[in-house]
Amino acid sequence: MRQTRGPSPEEEASEALNRGASKDLEEGASDAREPTTCGKRTADCSHASGLPLARATVSKFAQAEEYPEMHHLKRGEKRSLLDPYKRSILQRWQQGCTNGLQLYDEIKARGFTGSATLLRMFLAELRKKHQEAGSASALSLDTSTQAIEIPPSLPSKPRITRRLSATRASWLFVSQSGKLNEKQKQHVGQIRAGHPDLERAYQLSQDFVMMLASRREGDLDTWLTQAAHSGLPEFKKMAHGIRLDYAAVKAAFSSE
């Protein structure tokens, strides 16, 4: 009976090489069929194998159009679901959209899965920084901390002047011009320039005051006619009231 001889070491080595070559040919054919996917995978693997970075990080770097800033979280610090949307929210805010509901709908349509409360907290910070900066265009987003920043040096805020009340404006109208200071005269000029009716009202007011101060009772009838035909309801009503009590008003001109 003839004894069966096993493969020699040389034959085993040759067979292993053949198997390896066949596997390489199969993988090469697979690469040819899927050049994009496999090429990308090979690039990711080759880079990830030589760097202390996760595969997802390498993929992010490979797809980024510019260098993506990396922020290493501190212990206990967590990323917010809102972080990917903060830049676009700031841009919309700078464009004039400050409606929280609308902003929420916009980011939700883009995939935001967080709560409306999360957005409200960010908008509260954004609104506060907006008020501090005086202008939304001065705001920016710190990419490392995802916080709203304002420039360290800001232009001086516009001076806020108090609005002139109707009572004070009326007092200025019936005050003699010679008794007003320069600032008060400036206010009067601004009011008179606001509308032709205001200029007409000022002239009638000053005519009446000067007529009364000079005790020119003979000019009263002329003034009443001008007031009645001025087109100003307040002066028309005033003229009517004076005519109803005409004698008493005439007497006021001669009283001390």
Side-chain angles (χ1 to χ4, degrees):
M1 183 175 182
R2 190 170 59 182
Q3 186 176 3
T4 304
R5 183 177 63 86
S8 66
E10 291 80 4
E11 292 173 337
E12 290 180 350
S14 177
E15 184 177 354
L17 288 174
N18 289 334
R19 287 198 302 268
S22 299
K23 184 176 181 181
D24 289 341
L25 289 174
E26 291 175 0
E27 291 182 352
S30 176
D31 290 348
R33 288 192 299 270
E34 302 180 63
T36 302
T37 303
C38 189
K40 180 178 181 301
R41 177 171 53 82
T42 304
D44 286 353
C45 291
S46 62
H47 284 78
S49 61
L51 295 173
L53 298 174
R55 184 184 301 275
T57 303
V58 175
S59 177
K60 176 182 176 182
F61 272 52
Q63 297 177 16
E65 296 181 359
E66 58 183 18
Y67 180 75
E69 297 289 343
M70 296 183 64
H71 171 51
H72 299 285
L73 298 178
K74 299 178 181 179
R75 179 172 296 182
E77 184 180 1
K78 295 182 179 180
R79 292 190 183 277
S80 169
L81 293 174
L82 192 62
D83 284 353
Y85 307 93
K86 287 182 177 180
R87 183 174 297 278
S88 63
I89 293 172
L90 175 59
Q91 291 174 348
R92 293 287 290 124
W93 186 278
Q94 291 172 331
Q95 292 169 0
C97 179
T98 58
N99 186 294
L101 182 60
Q102 181 176 342
L103 291 172
Y104 178 73
D105 289 340
E106 290 179 4
I107 62 175
K108 188 175 181 181
R110 294 173 50 204
F112 176 63
T113 58
S115 65
T117 302
L118 193 61
L119 175 62
R120 282 197 297 269
M121 293 172 61
F122 177 69
L123 292 182
E125 176 194 1
L126 180 55
R127 185 173 289 104
K128 180 180 178 181
K129 293 296 179 67
H130 184 173
Q131 293 174 349
E132 292 178 5
S135 172
S137 60
L139 302 178
S140 61
L141 182 70
D142 189 323
T143 55
S144 62
T145 62
Q146 293 297 314
I148 298 296
E149 299 290 337
I150 58 178
S153 58
L154 290 173
S156 57
K157 296 182 180 180
R159 184 180 177 184
I160 300 176
T161 56
R162 294 181 60 185
R163 185 176 181 179
L164 194 65
S165 66
T167 302
R168 185 166 181 80
S170 300
W171 177 82
L172 290 173
F173 261 43
V174 298
S175 298
Q176 296 183 36
S177 178
K179 296 182 179 180
L180 299 179
N181 58 36
E182 290 302 320
K183 186 175 182 180
Q184 291 170 334
K185 290 179 180 179
Q186 183 180 5
H187 286 160
V188 171
Q190 292 173 346
I191 297 172
R192 294 171 62 183
H195 195 276
D197 286 351
L198 294 173
E199 173 63 24
R200 192 177 303 115
Y202 178 75
Q203 293 297 338
L204 286 170
S205 299
Q206 287 296 303
D207 288 346
F208 186 83
V209 170
M210 296 305 297
M211 179 177 59
L212 189 60
S214 303
R215 303 188 183 282
R216 292 184 278 109
E217 59 182 272
D219 295 339
L220 179 59
D221 290 338
T222 302
W223 186 90
L224 291 174
T225 301
Q226 292 175 347
H229 295 86
S230 65
L232 303 176
E234 293 80 3
F235 283 90
K236 184 177 181 180
K237 183 178 180 180
M238 180 179 177
H240 179 69
I242 291 176
R243 290 191 183 279
L244 292 177
D245 203 9
Y246 185 78
V249 175
K250 289 280 286 188
F253 280 90
S254 58
S255 63
E256 293 295 337

